[in-house]
Amino acid sequence: WSPVCVAGSKPSPRAGHTLTAVDEKTAMLFGGHGGDKRFSDLWLLDVERKVWSHISSSSPLWPQPRSYHTVCTIVSEDGEIKALLLGGRGDGGQVLSDCWMLDMKGRAHV
């Protein structure tokens, strides 16, 4: 292990989030909670440049804030990468059973 110095803006402190490898150069952080607040923010880490990028969306289709969820990536035969999000705990601690898919190329939730 060795510490990683990351430049620029970065995600707020949190627990119960996911950090998922998107490809050999990128990791994706989604959700989690800090104290009583749950997040639905999406961050990408360029592991070569060591820079976080906050990904925002104006789409009304966006998963509600959550923690303790699961995310995995799926790569199709033609190389398309999608992230699959399942469940977790929402605001108030209710157990969620929804499922969301994110096209990593267009970064649009399906």
Side-chain angles (χ1 to χ4, degrees):
W1 291 101
S2 60
V4 177
C5 295
V6 180
S9 298
K10 54 187 164 187
S12 60
R14 65 192 61 211
H17 57 280
T18 51
L19 183 64
T20 309
V22 174
D23 56 33
E24 55 280 338
K25 298 178 184 179
T26 311
M28 175 183 82
L29 181 143
F30 184 80
H33 68 90
D36 291 337
K37 179 178 174 144
R38 284 190 166 77
F39 303 109
S40 64
D41 54 347
L42 175 63
W43 292 80
L44 297 179
L45 176 63
D46 181 322
V47 295
E48 288 184 341
R49 294 178 38 233
K50 297 178 178 63
V51 175
W52 283 107
S53 299
H54 180 246
I55 306 302
S56 60
S57 174
S58 59
S59 172
L61 294 175
W62 194 265
Q64 72 183 74
R66 67 190 62 220
S67 56
Y68 304 109
H69 51 284
T70 301
V71 173
C72 69
T73 52
I74 301 168
V75 182
S76 67
E77 289 181 13
D78 61 0
E80 294 286 321
I81 301 171
K82 296 190 186 302
L84 184 64
L85 163 70
L86 178 65
R89 289 197 175 265
D91 286 333
Q94 79 274 25
V95 176
L96 304 172
S97 62
D98 56 343
C99 185
W100 293 79
M101 190 169 295
L102 176 64
D103 178 348
M104 295 306 296
K105 184 174 183 181
R107 297 190 188 113
H109 277 90
V110 179

